[in-house]
Amino acid sequence: MTVNRGKGMRNSFFDDSLDKDHVKRRIHELSRAKVGFYSIGLYPASLAYNSAMQEGGKSLLLAPRPGRKLLGAFSEQAIRGMDPGHVDQMHRMAHHEEGNQRVSNSLEYLIRTCDLVILSANSNYIEADLAEARALRERLKRRSVVFACLAGSYNHDTVTDSSYVLCEKYPNLAFFSGFHRHDALRDPFDSFTANFCHPNALTALLGAFILDKLSLNIQVAPGVHNVEAQYIKAAKNMGSIFAGFGYEYHCGNSGILPTLLTLILDQCLDQAATVSMRRRDRHNLYYQQAIPLTELGYGVAGIEAMIDRGGDAAIARDHTFSQLTAMVADVRGSMMMPLSGKPTRNFQAGQVLARMMRAQGRCPHSMVEYEEWCEEAGLKKGGLEGVKALRYWPQIREQYGIPSHDASMVNLLYTVLCGDADDKDAAFLVMTESRELSNYCQESVRPTHSRKYSGALNNLEKPESMELLANAVIADTARKAIFDENAADEFEIQADDPAYLQAMSSIEMEIRSPSPF
């Protein structure tokens, strides 16, 4: 399966000038930059409301897509709970004066006026919006306007029948992410963190600086891992469905929930780390930056996971992105039942799945039936990015080479919704029986080639199982004998040896013989 890669997309705050005075003027301009949100939706509108509460929306402009209402994503109840003054301010953000008329902002107006435009459409529209925005930017000769997106699902190309992460197709497209609960964004006393990610460290730094001014309650940190950030957004939306199911169905089984939630979180990060290894620009990401990643807030310049391949160590995953706190917090937060207010929409979709599976005594017959269950519960399927991501999960798993043991929870959820009848019967038992689910959590995370010894222990009546275990015991005994022979060669520390050797010896001795206390 192949993905049509986007041609090199320029996406920088600066042109190619090397004139220092010109660059300084541009930096001053960016210190007063405006941000535009195009398309709008639940989270961007909630962020705009937060901005109106804290800063009056001085640096933020809004432009709903044609035919869409500014507050159309909110329920009537939510709108009634908003401060009328803040709502009026949001409407002012979405309009401007032309002559004696007050007209609605458009995407073209945002590109003319702003230095950073967030394309906030979901995965159904984002690629078309990006194409339109690029064409407008070129026509208006506003090439130093930076584009970013928020979409939390995978994109799908119907021509090639392939699925992909949009930021991987367009590596210079920025991604803005972090906050995870739209109703909490309308709380004047709550605070949030977010990440603005762009593969160029300077662009990421300046973009975060600009966005950080939107509200006193939202702290934005820079990062270079845009592809990983968008992948995690989609993965955590799927994981949030499973988390909602777990909270609802197994609320009386407190032992399984910590295991379940930890595994969902870890697998989201492990999958993104595998995707990170597939980046075409991975070398540039770390070795061709004008400023080091530690200047952006990364604690270390790289975190890599190794595996043993026939005696040779090889890098299997790149976890450097996991230092972006807001990104990881977004995953954790989307899988938690909040102390007040409602959980995320995908979490609620998981709760619907649990209630209906308990009531029906079966898995949904199809994805369509599951979407109908969600609609009946008041959840519009257009806003359930996790459900859409699941549709394309097999292609994503193949596209990025996601190992099964790093995606066992999503694989199980996909089987519940899209498997054949026999597979669904087995998946139903695993999802609904606490003991089955805990065993699945424990065993499914092992690579398939690493289960032979545990399998042998469960099949001692088979000669080949006994042979395998006996050989392992003999090999271990021989290894210990070799180790003990070498131990005899160790020298004893003398009283007149250097202090560092004495310190090393005492520390190593303590590690070998830990205190019983």
Side-chain angles (χ1 to χ4, degrees):
M1 185 186 303
T2 59
V3 175
N4 291 328
R5 308 294 182 187
K7 294 180 179 179
M9 181 181 74
R10 180 185 178 85
N11 203 29
S12 172
F13 289 116
F14 299 93
D15 55 27
D16 296 326
S17 174
L18 298 178
D19 181 84
K20 185 174 289 188
D21 290 334
H22 175 79
V23 172
K24 288 180 178 179
R25 285 194 298 272
R26 179 58 178 155
I27 293 173
H28 277 297
E29 290 175 0
L30 292 174
S31 69
R32 303 183 299 274
K34 289 189 177 295
V35 178
F37 282 176
Y38 176 68
S39 185
I40 313 300
L42 204 54
Y43 286 88
S46 297
L47 182 58
Y49 185 86
N50 193 293
S51 180
M53 283 193 297
Q54 302 298 329
E55 289 290 331
K58 297 175 183 177
S59 60
L60 180 60
L61 298 177
L62 309 175
R65 74 169 51 256
R68 190 174 193 180
K69 294 181 179 179
L70 180 62
L71 301 178
F74 295 102
S75 66
E76 289 297 326
Q77 181 181 1
I79 294 174
R80 286 195 296 270
M82 295 181 184
D83 182 282
H86 300 330
V87 172
D88 288 343
Q89 177 61 30
M90 288 178 65
H91 282 287
R92 286 193 290 273
M93 294 180 198
H95 293 81
H96 66 279
E97 301 292 333
E98 285 189 4
N100 296 323
Q101 289 187 322
R102 186 167 179 258
V103 298
S104 298
N105 296 341
S106 63
L107 177 58
E108 179 174 341
Y109 179 78
L110 294 186
I111 294 174
R112 286 184 184 276
T113 311
C114 302
D115 293 289
L116 174 58
V117 175
I118 309 292
L119 304 173
S120 62
N122 63 22
S123 53
N124 294 323
Y125 301 100
I126 181 58
E127 199 153 6
D129 286 356
L130 178 60
E132 181 184 0
R134 293 177 66 188
L136 284 169
R137 182 173 62 180
E138 191 67 25
R139 178 168 65 81
L140 297 172
K141 294 181 171 53
R142 291 277 293 165
R143 297 184 181 91
S144 295
V145 175
V146 168
F147 295 144
C149 70
L150 295 172
S153 185
Y154 308 117
N155 280 71
H156 184 74
D157 188 328
T158 56
V159 176
T160 62
D161 191 28
S162 58
S163 301
Y164 47 89
V165 175
L166 189 63
C167 284
E168 193 245 349
K169 183 176 181 179
Y170 298 97
N172 287 326
L173 177 63
F175 193 78
F176 183 39
S177 181
F179 34 84
H180 66 274
R181 288 186 56 235
H182 56 85
D183 55 345
L185 279 166
R186 302 193 298 277
D187 185 335
F189 304 109
D190 211 344
S191 296
F192 305 86
T193 57
N195 285 125
F196 178 79
C197 295
H198 186 284
N200 179 276
L202 278 172
T203 303
L205 184 68
L206 288 164
F209 169 76
I210 293 168
L211 288 167
D212 197 53
K213 295 182 177 183
L214 291 184
S215 170
L216 296 174
N217 281 6
I218 301 174
Q219 286 73 50
V220 183
V224 297
H225 293 90
N226 57 333
V227 175
E228 295 83 349
Q230 188 172 29
Y231 182 90
I232 283 179
K233 193 78 170 181
K236 71 96 179 176
N237 281 337
M238 294 187 293
S240 186
I241 295 174
F242 208 141
F245 176 92
Y247 268 99
E248 182 73 20
Y249 203 100
H250 296 286
C251 57
N253 304 322
S254 58
I256 187 62
L257 277 178
T259 300
L260 179 64
L261 299 178
T262 300
L263 187 52
I264 295 171
L265 169 67
D266 287 349
Q267 290 194 342
C268 281
L269 301 180
D270 289 344
Q271 290 168 35
T274 297
V275 171
S276 192
M277 291 296 297
R278 298 294 186 99
R279 291 190 65 139
R280 292 168 288 157
D281 60 347
R282 185 167 176 268
H283 178 83
N284 296 348
L285 206 65
Y286 299 123
Y287 302 108
Q288 294 190 10
Q289 299 284 7
I291 57 176
L293 297 192
T294 49
E295 288 289 336
L296 302 186
Y298 291 78
V300 294
I303 302 175
E304 296 172 338
M306 314 288 286
I307 61 171
D308 183 358
R309 289 178 175 165
D312 294 326
I315 301 173
R317 297 195 296 248
D318 183 349
H319 286 269
T320 308
F321 70 89
S322 64
Q323 299 173 84
L324 298 175
T325 304
M327 188 189 302
V328 178
D330 185 24
V331 181
R332 291 185 186 276
S334 68
M335 296 177 188
M336 295 168 55
M337 178 69 78
L339 297 176
S340 62
K342 293 182 179 180
T344 67
R345 288 171 291 184
N346 291 291
F347 189 102
Q348 293 177 58
Q351 292 176 302
V352 170
L353 180 64
R355 289 194 291 268
M356 294 305 295
M357 284 177 63
R358 180 183 285 118
Q360 300 287 337
R362 61 171 175 82
C363 298
H365 290 310
S366 64
M367 183 75 81
V368 173
E369 183 182 35
Y370 176 48
E371 289 174 337
E372 290 173 353
W373 291 353
C374 292
E375 290 274 0
E376 290 169 2
L379 298 171
K380 297 179 181 179
K381 67 178 183 180
L384 299 175
E385 290 281 63
V387 176
K388 181 181 178 184
L390 279 166
R391 287 185 179 276
Y392 304 124
W393 171 242
Q395 292 179 323
I396 289 294
R397 186 175 55 199
E398 178 184 346
Q399 173 70 25
Y400 297 106
I402 306 295
S404 179
H405 60 272
D406 285 342
S408 60
M409 307 315 290
V410 178
N411 289 339
L412 179 60
L413 183 60
Y414 179 82
T415 302
V416 166
L417 299 178
C418 302
D420 60 33
D422 290 340
D423 290 341
K424 284 189 176 188
D425 288 343
F428 179 83
L429 290 176
V430 173
M431 293 281 282
T432 58
E433 296 290 338
S434 177
R435 185 177 298 173
E436 292 287 348
L437 186 54
S438 63
N439 283 333
Y440 181 86
C441 288
Q442 178 172 304
E443 295 299 323
S444 66
V445 298
R446 299 182 183 182
T448 53
H449 61 274
S450 301
R451 300 174 191 163
K452 57 184 179 181
Y453 291 102
S454 60
L457 281 170
N458 291 318
N459 294 278
L460 292 177
E461 70 281 1
K462 295 182 178 180
E464 58 269 26
S465 296
M466 188 63 74
E467 187 76 12
L468 177 67
L469 292 169
N471 288 340
V473 172
I474 292 171
D476 188 52
T477 302
R479 182 191 61 80
K480 290 177 181 176
I482 294 172
F483 178 80
D484 289 342
E485 288 178 5
N486 290 339
D489 295 332
E490 293 180 1
F491 62 91
E492 293 183 1
I493 296 297
Q494 305 298 319
D496 58 348
D497 279 332
Y500 75 90
L501 287 178
Q502 296 192 41
M504 287 170 56
S505 177
S506 63
I507 291 171
E508 290 168 357
M509 187 66 70
E510 184 176 351
I511 291 173
R512 291 174 189 164
S513 305
S515 168
F517 303 102

Coordinates of all heavy atoms in Angstrom, one line a residue, residues 233-262:
K233 N -3.1 11.6 18.6 CA -4.5 12.2 18.7 C -5.5 11.1 18.2 O -6.5 10.9 18.8 CB -4.6 13.4 17.9 CG -5.8 14.3 18.2 CD -5.7 15.0 19.5 CE -6.8 16.0 19.7 NZ -6.7 16.8 20.9
A234 N -5.2 10.5 17.1 CA -6.1 9.5 16.5 C -6.1 8.2 17.4 O -7.1 7.7 17.7 CB -5.7 9.2 15.1
A235 N -4.9 7.8 17.8 CA -4.8 6.6 18.6 C -5.5 6.8 20.0 O -6.2 5.8 20.4 CB -3.3 6.2 18.8
K236 N -5.3 7.9 20.6 CA -6.0 8.1 21.9 C -7.5 8.2 21.7 O -8.2 7.9 22.7 CB -5.3 9.3 22.6 CG -5.7 10.7 22.1 CD -6.8 11.3 22.8 CE -7.1 12.7 22.2 NZ -8.3 13.3 22.9
N237 N -8.0 8.7 20.6 CA -9.4 8.8 20.4 C -10.0 7.3 20.3 O -11.1 7.1 20.9 CB -9.7 9.5 19.1 CG -9.7 11.0 19.3 OD1 -9.8 11.5 20.5 ND2 -9.5 11.8 18.3
M238 N -9.2 6.4 19.7 CA -9.7 5.0 19.7 C -9.5 4.4 21.1 O -10.4 3.8 21.6 CB -8.8 4.2 18.7 CG -9.0 4.6 17.3 SD -8.2 3.5 16.1 CE -6.5 3.8 16.5
G239 N -8.4 4.7 21.8 CA -8.2 4.2 23.1 C -9.2 4.8 24.1 O -9.6 4.1 25.1
S240 N -9.7 6.0 23.9 CA -10.7 6.6 24.8 C -12.0 5.8 24.7 O -12.7 5.7 25.7 CB -10.9 8.1 24.4 OG -11.8 8.7 25.3
I241 N -12.3 5.3 23.6 CA -13.5 4.5 23.4 C -13.4 3.2 24.4 O -14.3 2.9 25.1 CB -13.8 4.0 22.0 CG1 -14.1 5.2 21.1 CG2 -14.9 3.0 21.9 CD1 -14.1 4.9 19.6
F242 N -12.2 2.6 24.3 CA -12.0 1.4 25.1 C -12.0 1.8 26.6 O -12.6 1.1 27.5 CB -10.7 0.8 24.8 CG -10.6 -0.7 25.1 CD1 -10.0 -1.6 24.2 CD2 -11.2 -1.3 26.2 CE1 -9.9 -2.9 24.4 CE2 -11.2 -2.7 26.4 CZ -10.5 -3.5 25.5
A243 N -11.5 2.9 26.9 CA -11.5 3.4 28.3 C -12.9 3.6 28.8 O -13.2 3.3 30.0 CB -10.6 4.7 28.5
G244 N -13.7 4.3 28.0 CA -15.1 4.5 28.4 C -15.8 3.2 28.6 O -16.6 3.1 29.5
F245 N -15.6 2.2 27.7 CA -16.2 0.9 27.9 C -15.7 0.3 29.2 O -16.6 -0.2 30.0 CB -15.7 0.0 26.8 CG -16.2 -1.4 26.9 CD1 -17.4 -1.8 26.3 CD2 -15.5 -2.4 27.6 CE1 -17.9 -3.1 26.5 CE2 -16.0 -3.7 27.8 CZ -17.2 -4.0 27.2
G246 N -14.4 0.4 29.5 CA -13.9 -0.2 30.8 C -14.5 0.4 32.0 O -15.0 -0.3 32.9
Y247 N -14.6 1.7 32.0 CA -15.2 2.4 33.2 C -16.7 2.0 33.4 O -17.2 1.8 34.5 CB -15.1 3.9 33.0 CG -13.9 4.5 33.6 CD1 -12.8 4.9 32.8 CD2 -13.8 4.8 35.0 CE1 -11.7 5.4 33.4 CE2 -12.7 5.4 35.5 CZ -11.6 5.7 34.7 OH -10.5 6.3 35.3
E248 N -17.4 1.9 32.3 CA -18.8 1.6 32.3 C -19.1 0.1 32.7 O -19.9 -0.2 33.5 CB -19.5 2.0 31.0 CG -21.0 1.8 31.0 CD -21.8 2.8 31.8 OE1 -21.2 3.9 32.1 OE2 -22.9 2.6 32.2
Y249 N -18.4 -0.7 31.9 CA -18.8 -2.2 32.1 C -18.1 -2.8 33.3 O -18.7 -3.7 34.0 CB -18.3 -2.9 30.8 CG -19.1 -4.2 30.6 CD1 -20.1 -4.3 29.7 CD2 -18.8 -5.4 31.4 CE1 -20.9 -5.5 29.6 CE2 -19.5 -6.6 31.2 CZ -20.5 -6.6 30.3 OH -21.2 -7.8 30.1
H250 N -16.9 -2.4 33.6 CA -16.2 -3.0 34.7 C -16.0 -2.0 35.9 O -15.1 -2.1 36.7 CB -14.8 -3.4 34.2 CG -14.8 -4.5 33.2 ND1 -15.1 -5.8 33.4 CD2 -14.6 -4.4 31.8 CE1 -15.1 -6.5 32.3 NE2 -14.8 -5.7 31.3
C251 N -17.0 -1.2 36.1 CA -17.0 -0.2 37.2 C -16.9 -1.0 38.6 O -16.4 -0.4 39.6 CB -18.2 0.7 37.2 SG -19.8 -0.1 37.2
G252 N -17.4 -2.2 38.6 CA -17.4 -2.9 39.9 C -16.2 -3.8 40.0 O -16.0 -4.4 41.1
N253 N -15.3 -3.8 39.0 CA -14.1 -4.6 39.1 C -12.9 -3.7 39.1 O -12.2 -3.4 38.1 CB -14.0 -5.5 37.8 CG -15.2 -6.4 37.7 OD1 -15.7 -6.9 38.7 ND2 -15.7 -6.6 36.5
S254 N -12.6 -3.1 40.3 CA -11.6 -2.1 40.4 C -10.2 -2.6 40.1 O -9.3 -1.8 39.8 CB -11.6 -1.5 41.8 OG -11.4 -2.5 42.8
G255 N -10.0 -3.9 40.1 CA -8.7 -4.4 39.8 C -8.2 -4.4 38.4 O -7.1 -4.2 38.1
I256 N -9.2 -4.5 37.5 CA -8.8 -4.5 36.0 C -8.6 -3.2 35.4 O -7.8 -3.0 34.5 CB -9.9 -5.3 35.2 CG1 -9.5 -5.5 33.8 CG2 -11.3 -4.5 35.3 CD1 -8.3 -6.4 33.6
L257 N -9.2 -2.1 36.0 CA -9.2 -0.8 35.4 C -7.8 -0.2 35.3 O -7.4 0.3 34.2 CB -10.1 0.2 36.1 CG -11.6 0.1 35.6 CD1 -12.4 1.1 36.4 CD2 -11.7 0.4 34.1
P258 N -7.0 -0.2 36.4 CA -5.6 0.3 36.3 C -4.8 -0.4 35.2 O -4.0 0.2 34.4 CB -5.0 0.1 37.7 CG -6.2 0.0 38.6 CD -7.3 -0.7 37.8
T259 N -4.9 -1.7 35.1 CA -4.2 -2.5 34.1 C -4.6 -2.1 32.7 O -3.8 -1.8 31.8 CB -4.4 -4.0 34.3 OG1 -3.9 -4.4 35.6 CG2 -3.6 -4.8 33.2
L260 N -5.9 -2.0 32.5 CA -6.5 -1.7 31.2 C -6.1 -0.3 30.8 O -5.6 -0.1 29.6 CB -8.0 -1.8 31.3 CG -8.8 -1.4 30.0 CD1 -8.5 -2.4 28.9 CD2 -10.3 -1.4 30.3
L261 N -6.2 0.7 31.6 CA -5.9 2.1 31.3 C -4.4 2.3 31.0 O -4.0 3.0 30.1 CB -6.4 3.0 32.3 CG -7.9 3.0 32.6 CD1 -8.3 3.9 33.7 CD2 -8.7 3.3 31.3
T262 N -3.6 1.7 31.8 CA -2.2 1.8 31.6 C -1.7 1.2 30.3 O -0.9 1.8 29.6 CB -1.4 1.0 32.8 OG1 -1.8 1.6 34.0 CG2 0.1 1.1 32.6

